[in-house]
Amino acid sequence: QVQLQESGPGLVKPSGTLSLTCAVSGGSISSTNWWNWVRQPPGKGLEWIGEIYHSGSSNYNPSLKSRVTILVDKSKNQFSLKLSSVTAADTAVYYCARVTWRPDYYGMDVWGQGTTVTVS
Amino acid sequence: EIVLTQSPGILSLSPGQRATLSCRASRSVSSSYLVWYQQKPGQAPRLLIYGASSRATGIPDRFSGSGSGTDFTLTISRLEPEDFAVYYCQQYGSSLLTFGPGTKVDIK
């Protein structure tokens, strides 16, 4: 059973870079899945940040694209998020999630527990 | 970018009642890529419905999804205490993913 675990600093200074890693266990990051980052500001809804495939192909939310980089590290079976020039508006719970994509099935079916990042 | 609108924002109901949640898209969405999630406080979202109408593994049959094009519905036939939560719709198209703002189902 695939599990995801986010890790990284819980506090980032304004104008700095937020860096998080999502470790994949119980399965291979090289499987036919897309690996996503989603965030949720306090008391608000879900916001998609972006996704990556094990080949390195990626897609980003246009509203964040200029500040976001998502990379995959197959040797460590993990993927990462970097968000630059952060402000207080980037304070949120950050989730990593797996998208399974088959002809008869599409959805974020595995989620990490989330990690809180505060910009202050 | 497709914008999803969910209504109502808050739905106050009692256990045993039927809940009907709406998700409307700014333009047509492929049903194959319309998904519903449930989120409880302090927890990650959980996949409920995929392909607009198929229940994910382990989801009780009181949850059902329907719709096509720009209008989709999540129905909970009889609310159980554990169903009081926030529900999000999500779509994927043209390499972009968007979530709706959510509907909170709370206890009346």
Side-chain angles (χ1 to χ4, degrees), chain A residues 55-69:
Chain A
S55 64
S57 179
S58 59
N59 298 301
Y60 298 129
N61 185 327
S63 68
L64 298 170
K65 187 174 184 177
S66 64
R67 299 193 292 130
V68 172
T69 302

Side-chain angles (χ1 to χ4, degrees), chain A residues 40 51 101 105-106 108, chain B residues 33 37 39 47 90 92 97:
Chain A
Q40 185 169 37
E51 63 181 357
W101 197 342
Y105 182 95
Y106 166 87
M108 287 187 188
Chain B
Y33 302 118
Y37 300 90
Q39 187 180 34
L47 177 62
Q90 175 245 305
Y92 188 86
L97 186 156

Side-chain angles (χ1 to χ4, degrees), chain A residues 34 36 38 40 44-48 51 59-62 95 99 101 103-109 111-114, chain B residues 1 32-35 37 39 42-47 49-51 56 88 90-92 95-101:
Chain A
W34 283 78
N36 284 248
V38 175
Q40 185 169 37
K44 296 188 178 181
L46 303 169
E47 180 180 30
W48 179 66
E51 63 181 357
N59 298 301
Y60 298 129
N61 185 327
Y95 295 100
V99 163
W101 197 342
D104 61 342
Y105 182 95
Y106 166 87
M108 287 187 188
D109 57 355
W111 292 72
Q113 65 186 27
Chain B
E1 178 181 331
S32 296
Y33 302 118
L34 194 288
V35 188
Y37 300 90
Q39 187 180 34
Q43 296 184 16
R46 177 174 70 146
L47 177 62
I49 300 287
Y50 65 93
Y88 296 94
Q90 175 245 305
Q91 70 81 33
Y92 188 86
S95 301
L96 294 178
L97 186 156
T98 54
F99 289 98

Side-chain angles (χ1 to χ4, degrees), chain A:
Chain A
Q1 181 175 340
V2 173
Q3 294 184 312
L4 305 179
Q5 179 65 59
E6 306 91 346
S7 61
L11 183 64
V12 181
K13 294 185 185 300
S15 77
T17 297
L18 179 159
S19 296
L20 296 175
T21 297
C22 181
V24 179
S25 60
S28 173
I29 202 166
S30 296
S31 59
T32 54
N33 301 107
W34 283 78
W35 306 94
N36 284 248
W37 288 99
V38 175
R39 70 180 183 178
Q40 185 169 37
K44 296 188 178 181
L46 303 169
E47 180 180 30
W48 179 66
I49 299 171
E51 63 181 357
I52 193 163
Y53 196 63
H54 63 79
S55 64
S57 179
S58 59
N59 298 301
Y60 298 129
N61 185 327
S63 68
L64 298 170
K65 187 174 184 177
S66 64
R67 299 193 292 130
V68 172
T69 302
I70 298 176
L71 298 174
V72 65
D73 186 337
K74 289 186 281 188
S75 68
K76 294 183 178 179
N77 216 40
Q78 64 186 31
F79 61 107
S80 63
L81 168 69
K82 289 189 186 298
L83 180 66
S84 63
S85 304
V86 297
T87 69
D90 295 308
T91 293
V93 175
Y94 285 76
Y95 295 100
C96 57
R98 181 186 80 173
V99 163
T100 292
W101 197 342
R102 300 193 301 261
D104 61 342
Y105 182 95
Y106 166 87
M108 287 187 188
D109 57 355
V110 179
W111 292 72
Q113 65 186 27
T115 187
T116 299
V117 179
T118 302
V119 179
S120 179

Side-chain angles (χ1 to χ4, degrees), chain B residues 18 27 51:
Chain B
R18 181 185 188 90
R27 62 178 189 269

